[in-house]
Amino acid sequence: MKKIISLFILLVITINAQDYTKESKEAKDLRMQWWSDARFGLFIHWGLYAIPAGEWNGSTNHAEWIRTTAQIPLKEYYKFVEQFNPVKFDAEEWVKMAKDAGMKYIVITSKHHDGFSLFDSKHTDFDVMSTPFKRDILKELSDACRKYGLKICWYHSIMDWHHPDYLPRREWETDRSAEGADFTRFFQYLKNQLKELLTNYGEIGVLWFDGEWEDTWNSHYGIELYNYVRSLQPNIIINNRVGVGRSGMEGLTKAGEFGGDFGTPEQQIPSTGLPGVDWEACITMNNYWGYNKFDKDFKSTKELLQMLVDITSKGGNFLLNVGPTAEGLFPQESILRLKEIGEWMNLYDESIYGTEASPFNYLEWGRSTKKTLGNNTRLYLHVFNWPKDAKLVVPGVLNKPVKSYVLSDKQKVLLHTTRNEDAIVINVPLTPPNENVSVIVLDVEGKDEIINPPAIINPINIFIDKLDVIVNTDHNDVEVRYTTDGTTPTMNSDIYKDRIELRNTSTITVRSFRNGKPVSNVARESFTKVIPEKPVKVENPEAGVNYFYYEGIWENLPDFNSLEPVKKGTSSNFDITLRNQNDYFGFQYSGYVLIPRDDVYTFYTDSDDGSKLYIGDKLIVDNDGLHGMQEKKGIVALSKGFHRLKVLYFERSVGNDLKVLIEGGGIKKQIIPDSMLFHDR
Ligand code: FHN
């Protein structure tokens, strides 16, 4: 008996000590198969913040962040606990709406940043059992999910504005001393609650962490938490926000960082597919995650469906959010959209579930997904822009067509197909079968062989005296031919070797050929020869830029000139540490940048939150708005000498940084050196 007990203890220690981050790709792919096949899930942001519903002291632009954005002291916020009584909450109703919409999993906020637990937790009284409602919402929802065959998943915030041991405090929270706060004790609390969430509610599909960006959290905590969660449920899937590897709202994991199991682009969709990367785009139906009763700016069903198709065509998952009301109801606008999405999915879900990413780099009329069916490949052609001539041109397909039909056509009446050079042309009905997204099936013989157009890879399309245009192709058995006057290349056109030298404004068109025939669509890019901006004379140049510092709460860059600066001075660079506080501030920097030689320059700002960069009066970089660290760029041709430079920046709350970079004139992309920055004494 003793031997059995010691073996059991050894097993438990082994499981707990196991490093799940060392899992093989095959094992991870197997664990994530249901999630990859599912493609589509429901995000639910619900909690005490649904009670104020976005409004506080007359301002109406709040939501799940209201405790911070409205700077509500905790004792005031506690009053919502006594008010939370969503008597109209019906878990089965919610789950059926998600299921009918074609969603395969639900991710709900077990605890958002405010620290309130939507479940019965033995580790805090700041939970649903302290409210008049006194029902374990997560228990009811997980039971309903199991009843209707959906996976239940938890969103759990690391950042916690309630727990006394969480650090840092909010700047404005002068009534809550951090005295005695112990983050390691908070980490244990986090694990204690996760143990409840992962042992009391059956099998959980995904642990969706968030609020990982404050400097008290790090990759060590992240990896330990990842292993802890997996030790409780080895098959669970965990997002990249468990660690600190996420790159802002772009959401993908930075190279070399620990990234959990999948990337999490937020309110955006990657511009291209990401082969070999698991990712899920989370997007709101209107502008807020939590319920804001004033926000009627809902995306149309068509827009949401085209997002679903776009994401799926790039191999990602779509996590679409609903913010329920304090009564426990989905907003009517959300209900309608879920219903309409479901109607579309009833007709076309075969083109979403279990599909692979599009083999096409670009389709001017829409998107594609694909499946392997025996020896053939099935292409699902999602048409956003229906061809006016009823001819759907599918470029660069070398395979022989087998059959084609409208996916929603129960009779599967065959559509006539012909070949036109590299393309298969499908004769489709005159009017689109679906008002949102129509789907045409095209079966082709064998494994798909798609020749995408050659890529013109110059990042800059203006030049001063000459420019080398570089083209590449991901097919090594083709010949690239090109023209410089915008016409379509033929077998008589020049063959691309290693560059195309331009000395005048030109339109480059490239196309791939094989055995004397075109095998791809064309790619086209115009390049313009420009006159560089003239320099300005600076009477008494002195190192550094002028700065003006402001304080206020903004969602976009304000007109600083209409505001009174809190202070001003000069600074060697775009230094935001000159601020008086960590949130709700802005800067206006002005001066000159000394350009070393005539050339085309790229300027970048990388900022959280918004920023803009001007050369002279020209806006070169527009990186405005509320966002995590996000880089934007702009190009401009400049002559050697001084050029007026202005940078604007604002930070609302949480995370703040500003980087201003330059590239060109022999300068590799880098933060603008102090030596290039001047003001007029
Ligand atoms: O701060 C949260 C926000 O409230 C919301 O939960 C989103 C959803 O992914 N995540 C954070 C912002 O990145």
Side-chain angles (χ1 to χ4, degrees):
M1 185 57 181
K2 269 191 182 169
K3 199 167 178 205
I4 292 170
I5 291 169
S6 51
L7 272 174
F8 176 72
I9 291 168
L10 185 65
L11 178 67
V12 168
I13 293 167
T14 311
I15 287 177
N16 282 328
Q18 186 168 347
D19 182 353
Y20 290 91
T21 66
K22 300 285 182 269
E23 180 182 45
S24 71
K25 182 180 179 323
E26 293 67 33
K28 181 190 170 193
D29 289 348
L30 191 62
R31 175 166 57 91
M32 293 190 70
Q33 191 60 56
W34 74 264
W35 182 86
S36 304
D37 287 344
R39 286 280 170 253
F40 191 25
L42 177 66
F43 212 172
I44 298 176
H45 276 72
W46 198 34
L48 299 180
Y49 40 80
I51 297 168
E55 181 172 22
W56 191 261
N57 290 345
S59 79
T60 59
N61 60 351
H62 304 288
E64 75 285 355
W65 268 69
I66 192 164
R67 176 135 131 73
T68 284
T69 52
Q71 300 190 4
I72 305 172
L74 190 53
K75 57 183 178 309
E76 190 72 20
Y77 196 76
Y78 250 113
K79 292 175 184 166
F80 293 139
V81 175
E82 296 129 34
Q83 301 169 42
F84 189 72
N85 193 14
V87 293
K88 293 182 180 171
F89 168 64
D90 178 335
E92 294 207 9
E93 199 173 274
W94 284 14
V95 172
K96 279 190 286 190
M97 281 192 279
K99 182 182 176 81
D100 292 348
M103 294 163 157
K104 297 290 188 183
Y105 58 103
I106 293 178
V107 181
I108 185 167
T109 48
S110 49
K111 182 193 78 161
H112 202 264
H113 309 331
D114 63 358
F116 179 74
S117 300
L118 219 48
F119 63 101
D120 178 2
S121 173
K122 297 291 171 276
H123 300 286
T124 179
D125 64 3
F126 194 48
D127 72 348
V128 70
M129 305 315 277
S130 302
T131 71
F133 196 55
K134 287 196 187 336
R135 283 161 46 184
D136 188 330
I137 287 167
L138 300 196
K139 178 75 176 67
E140 294 182 28
L141 198 65
S142 54
D143 290 347
C145 279
R146 268 178 208 100
K147 179 174 177 180
Y148 291 97
L150 270 70
K151 292 272 191 180
I152 183 70
C153 312
W154 307 138
Y155 163 113
H156 202 72
S157 175
I158 293 159
M159 180 164 67
D160 187 315
W161 302 329
H162 167 267
H163 196 280
D165 286 325
Y166 181 80
L167 294 170
R169 291 283 188 273
R170 304 311 89 195
E171 274 280 304
W172 47 270
E173 266 202 298
T174 48
D175 65 329
R176 277 183 77 220
S177 158
E179 189 68 38
D182 174 347
F183 197 83
T184 48
R185 207 165 42 210
F186 171 75
F187 185 59
Q188 187 53 51
Y189 165 75
L190 198 55
K191 290 169 79 169
N192 293 342
Q193 283 209 314
L194 286 165
K195 181 159 189 174
E196 293 180 307
L197 288 165
L198 296 169
T199 43
N200 301 344
Y201 301 93
E203 188 197 23
I204 303 304
V206 176
L207 213 299
W208 212 100
F209 285 104
D210 200 12
E212 83 290 0
W213 53 78
E214 297 201 298
D215 52 17
T216 43
W217 194 251
N218 59 47
S219 59
H220 301 293
Y221 279 130
I223 290 172
E224 183 176 339
L225 203 57
Y226 180 89
N227 278 321
Y228 178 68
V229 166
R230 291 284 307 276
S231 72
L232 294 169
Q233 293 213 15
N235 291 327
I236 198 166
I237 298 170
I238 302 167
N239 72 349
N240 65 352
R241 302 189 188 191
V242 66
V244 292
R246 164 172 67 121
S247 48
M249 292 307 183
E250 180 232 354
L252 299 174
T253 303
K254 295 173 209 152
E257 287 284 352
F258 172 62
D261 296 322
F262 64 92
T264 51
E266 181 170 326
Q267 302 289 36
Q268 57 189 279
I269 299 168
S271 56
T272 63
L274 302 160
V277 175
D278 292 308
W279 57 275
E280 171 196 75
C282 56
I283 295 177
T284 54
M285 281 199 191
N286 49 6
N287 297 310
Y288 292 99
W289 298 98
Y291 180 58
N292 176 307
K293 64 187 171 193
F294 306 94
D295 181 5
K296 299 301 178 188
D297 182 19
F298 282 79
K299 299 171 184 74
S300 68
T301 299
K302 180 172 197 168
E303 196 180 350
L304 294 171
L305 278 168
Q306 293 194 355
M307 282 181 171
L308 172 63
V309 167
D310 183 27
I311 290 165
T312 306
S313 77
K314 291 167 179 171
N317 279 28
F318 186 23
L319 190 63
L320 178 58
N321 184 75
V322 170
T325 69
E327 292 181 299
L329 297 174
F330 286 3
Q332 275 307 317
E333 298 88 345
S334 301
I335 293 173
L336 174 62
R337 281 153 183 77
L338 290 174
K339 177 173 168 300
E340 292 174 339
I341 289 169
E343 287 160 0
W344 186 89
M345 287 294 272
N346 284 337
L347 294 169
Y348 298 113
D349 65 11
E350 175 191 330
S351 71
I352 300 293
Y353 298 138
T355 57
E356 293 174 62
S358 171
F360 301 94
N361 289 350
Y362 170 74
L363 291 166
E364 62 187 323
W365 39 258
R367 302 291 185 274
S368 165
T369 57
K370 73 172 187 180
K371 274 180 187 170
T372 301
L373 294 180
N375 296 325
N376 292 346
T377 302
R378 173 158 293 176
L379 297 172
Y380 295 101
L381 308 173
H382 299 86
V383 187
F384 297 175
N385 312 310
W386 196 254
K388 291 184 175 40
D389 61 0
K391 292 197 179 309
L392 187 65
V393 178
V394 189
V397 183
L398 300 196
N399 305 76
K400 189 166 170 292
V402 173
K403 65 180 175 189
S404 177
Y405 57 89
V406 176
L407 181 55
S408 53
D409 173 6
K410 293 204 180 357
Q411 279 67 46
K412 293 188 173 35
V413 172
L414 294 185
L415 302 175
H416 180 62
T417 62
T418 53
R419 175 163 289 282
N420 174 17
E421 296 185 323
D422 61 285
I424 290 176
V425 181
I426 305 170
N427 290 3
V428 294
L430 265 177
T431 52
N434 186 279
E435 61 180 349
N436 293 317
V437 182
S438 301
V439 184
I440 302 290
V441 168
L442 172 63
D443 285 355
V444 295
E445 245 175 40
K447 185 182 176 331
D448 53 293
E449 191 182 1
I450 309 294
I451 306 285
N452 284 299
I456 301 170
I457 59 172
N458 289 61
I460 296 177
N461 58 9
I462 61 172
F463 62 100
I464 292 177
D465 49 23
K466 76 180 181 72
L467 178 72
D468 287 344
V469 174
I470 309 299
V471 178
N472 71 21
T473 171
D474 42 12
H475 305 279
N476 47 24
D477 51 354
V478 297
E479 191 178 69
V480 176
R481 291 179 180 267
Y482 70 91
T483 62
T484 57
D485 60 1
T487 56
T488 299
T490 67
M491 277 304 287
N492 301 321
S493 306
D494 291 337
I495 294 177
Y496 175 81
K497 293 202 173 29
D498 59 1
R499 76 195 65 205
I500 303 168
E501 261 199 32
L502 297 185
R503 293 195 173 278
N504 297 300
T505 295
S506 309
T507 296
I508 301 291
T509 311
V510 292
R511 191 177 200 182
S512 293
F513 290 77
R514 186 187 287 169
N515 306 327
K517 291 195 180 111
V519 290
S520 83
N521 199 356
V522 298
R524 191 169 276 120
E525 179 86 48
S526 293
F527 294 90
T528 308
K529 185 169 187 172
V530 297
I531 313 283
E533 304 285 339
K534 297 270 173 286
V536 294
K537 183 153 179 47
V538 181
E539 293 303 329
N540 306 293
E542 202 166 74
V545 289
N546 297 313
Y547 78 83
F548 297 82
Y549 169 72
Y550 304 84
E551 287 177 357
I553 300 182
W554 310 291
E555 303 219 334
N556 291 91
L557 280 164
D559 171 11
F560 286 125
N561 295 330
S562 66
L563 304 175
E564 198 52 41
V566 170
K567 63 180 179 181
K568 60 184 180 180
T570 58
S571 164
S572 59
N573 212 305
F574 307 100
D575 178 2
I576 65 168
T577 61
L578 293 162
R579 62 182 183 267
N580 295 350
Q581 58 195 39
N582 285 334
D583 298 322
Y584 315 114
F585 66 91
F587 278 94
Q588 179 166 233
Y589 303 92
S590 58
Y592 302 91
V593 57
L594 181 56
I595 292 297
R597 72 178 200 216
D598 293 11
D599 200 359
V600 173
Y601 289 84
T602 305
F603 287 90
Y604 306 77
T605 67
D606 188 4
S607 68
D608 172 357
D609 285 296
S611 58
K612 283 184 178 176
L613 183 143
Y614 295 81
I615 295 288
D617 296 327
K618 220 166 149 188
L619 175 61
I620 305 298
V621 181
D622 186 349
N623 195 0
D624 199 357
L626 282 179
H627 48 70
M629 279 306 278
Q630 171 179 285
E631 182 178 274
K632 289 273 182 84
K633 66 181 180 182
I635 56 175
V636 59
L638 300 175
S639 300
K640 179 177 178 179
F642 287 108
H643 291 264
R644 272 190 307 117
L645 170 66
K646 181 168 73 173
V647 172
L648 309 179
Y649 167 79
F650 87 97
E651 156 62 9
R652 190 166 84 169
S653 61
V654 180
N656 57 56
D657 200 354
L658 169 67
K659 296 187 179 76
V660 183
L661 303 96
I662 187 170
E663 184 177 16
I667 303 166
K668 285 197 182 326
K669 180 179 177 181
Q670 60 182 275
I671 286 180
I672 301 182
D674 298 1
S675 59
M676 292 178 74
L677 296 172
F678 293 84
H679 64 283
D680 204 345
R681 180 156 38 106

